[in-house]
Every structure is written in structure tokens, then in C-alpha cells.
Amino acid sequence: MLRALAVDDERPSLEELLYLLQADPRVGSAEGAGDATEALRRINRALESGPDGPEAIDVVFLDIQMPGLDGLDLARLLTGFAQPPLVVFVTAHEDFAVQAFDLKAVDYVLKPVRRERLAEAVRRVVELRAAEPRGAAPRIPVHEPDPDHIPVELGGVTRFVAVDDITHVEARGDYARLHTGKGSHLVRIPLSTLEERWRSRGFVRIHRRHLVALRHIGELRLDAGTVSVLVGSEELQVSRRHARELRDLLMRRTTS
């Protein structure tokens, strides 16, 4: 039976989350904290109590955006403990999934929380704890950057999009929109970071706003001194500073 701590600065959200947790037969106890500082004090008591002590906590269901110490800050602090509780993020914001999994979160649940989605998160926590010998710290799956996939949030579920399926990427400030043949996904990663990460995979910058996969370019168009490329059914402009490099890359790709 899991011992859970729910952390949220919004009282209605906290009460709803506690209600759903307490209704799950796999959760033996669920208590709440109104902010990350209060939660940290409670977690410290749990760690002092030990994994089998009366104050023990198995998992923290953690909101992200809170005043003062936020959920990501608290999760970073927990990574410094020898036997921290597992962490499931529960948030209204879909843009922090990459950071959450970098912090070894078990799951990332979007608000409004659906009963079946929370039950899936509880299942993952239960399986992780059951896989470890009694008294041992749960082995949290390490979400190292996967060179072949990128995590995106879709309908409250984190999915992994194959890099090979991405046709082009559009800059949106500190975010980037990934385009595939089936749709698009917004991730909180700057375009410059993706350019550096995917250069060896055949992605090339064609404009300050666009990064394109060479293998998905169908046509290179020249019209009255302007250059553009056709990617699927979308025509993208190529800036002057990138036009020569792009033509050279496409020629080498054609002759190789």
C-alpha cells in the first residue's frame, strides 16, 4: 500500500487530488501540503523515520508552478537524498515534461486530472516499488536524452516522437514546434539547441525560424532571386545567408 504526499498551492486542486488518491485501493494513505517548503519539511521527517517508519512516504504527487520554491526546485533537492520518495508531477502546464523527466520523474500528469490517468501513474509507482528488494531505494528509470526520440506531451500522456519522423522545426521563442506528417508538437527547447543536437542527423538551419530535415525536402525552388524548399505540402523560405550552404548540402546528398 502506497503512502503518498500531494503538494499543490491551490486548495481545490489539492483536495481533488487527495480525493482521487484516497479512492485508489493501492494507496494506503494520502496527505497534503500547500507548498513545496511544507512538503520538504514533511519529506525530511519521512526520511528520518526510515522506509518502514510511521512517517514514511513512498511517492510525492507534485505541482510545478507554486510561489517561492516550485515543484521543479523541490524535485532537484530530492535528487540529493540517498533514498528519496518517487515523484509524479501533476500540473496544468505541458511545457515542463523534458525537465521533469531529466529529474527522473516517474510520470507527468496534466490537469484537470482524470481518474484513469492518475490510476496509470499510481500503477507505474507500484510496479517500480514492487521490482525492488524490501528496504532498497526504488530504481527510478533514468530518462537520458534519447538520440532517436524526443518526449512530447499529448492529451495528458507523455509520448516519444521519432526524430526521423520530424520534417521541420519552427522557432517559438524559448519553445520549438516539431512538425511531422501527422501533426505538430510544442516543446520547451530552443531551436538553437535542437540545431546543435540534430546536426549529425541531417537537420540544417534554413532560416532564423526554421530547421529542416534534409531527407524530407521534396523540392528546392528558385524564383526571382528568392529560395524556398518544399517540405511535404509546406513551402518554407530560405534566408540568403543559408541558401548556399543548403544547396551544397543537397548536391552532396544527391551525388553521395
Side-chain angles (χ1 to χ4, degrees), residues 8 44 62 72 76 102 118 136 149 151 158 204 214 222:
D8 199 313
N44 277 324
L62 183 58
L72 293 171
R76 289 188 189 99
D102 283 345
L118 186 63
H149 297 82
T158 300
V204 60
L214 289 173
L222 304 175

Side-chain angles (χ1 to χ4, degrees), residues 14-33:
L14 180 60
E15 291 178 350
E16 175 68 11
L17 181 55
L18 287 172
Y19 171 78
L20 292 174
L21 287 171
Q22 291 163 356
D24 193 308
R26 296 164 297 185
V27 178
S29 64
E31 56 185 292

Side-chain angles (χ1 to χ4, degrees), residues 50-252:
D52 295 318
E55 300 271 10
I57 294 173
D58 299 313
V59 57
V60 180
F61 290 85
L62 183 58
D63 189 20
I64 288 183
Q65 291 200 332
M66 295 182 286
L69 192 71
D70 68 21
L72 293 171
D73 293 331
L74 177 56
R76 289 188 189 99
L77 289 173
L78 292 181
T79 61
F81 290 97
Q83 292 186 325
L86 299 173
V87 172
V88 173
F89 283 102
V90 183
T91 176
H93 304 276
E94 64 179 22
D95 308 316
F96 300 101
V98 173
Q99 296 174 61
F101 287 123
D102 283 345
L103 291 169
K104 303 182 182 180
V106 175
D107 207 346
Y108 190 91
V109 180
L110 282 181
K111 298 177 182 178
V113 180
R114 295 179 290 112
R115 184 186 299 269
E116 59 273 19
R117 181 65 184 90
L118 186 63
E120 170 63 16
V122 171
R123 181 191 67 77
R124 295 181 184 183
V125 173
V126 170
E127 288 185 353
L128 275 174
R129 294 199 62 82
E132 295 301 321
R134 183 174 177 79
R139 184 175 61 249
I140 304 172
V142 179
H143 296 269
E144 297 291 347
D146 180 350
D148 297 320
H149 297 82
I150 183 168
V152 300
E153 190 70 22
L154 185 62
V157 178
T158 300
R159 304 185 186 279
F160 293 86
V161 174
V163 174
D164 287 346
D165 291 340
I166 297 171
T167 59
H168 62 289
V169 186
E170 179 184 0
R172 294 290 182 89
D174 291 335
Y175 297 77
R177 182 165 292 281
L178 312 177
H179 292 266
T180 72
K182 297 181 179 179
S184 66
H185 310 279
L186 192 66
V187 296
R188 194 179 186 184
I189 306 175
L191 190 68
S192 57
T193 299
L194 294 177
E195 179 184 11
E196 178 67 25
R197 185 183 300 177
W198 291 344
R199 182 177 292 117
S200 63
R201 301 184 66 95
F203 282 81
V204 60
R205 192 74 164 259
I206 64 167
H207 190 276
R208 62 182 178 83
R209 294 187 59 236
H210 289 113
L211 185 68
V212 173
L214 289 173
R215 61 184 168 278
H216 288 293
I217 294 178
E219 294 181 10
L220 178 67
R221 297 178 173 179
L222 304 175
D223 183 18
T226 64
V227 182
S228 63
V229 291
L230 190 66
V231 181
S233 59
E234 189 168 355
E235 185 174 359
L236 304 174
Q237 294 298 312
V238 180
S239 66
R240 288 186 178 181
R241 62 175 296 200
H242 294 104
R244 180 179 295 276
E245 178 188 7
L246 177 63
R247 286 197 299 266
D248 291 345
L249 286 170
L250 288 174
M251 288 298 295
R252 288 202 297 268

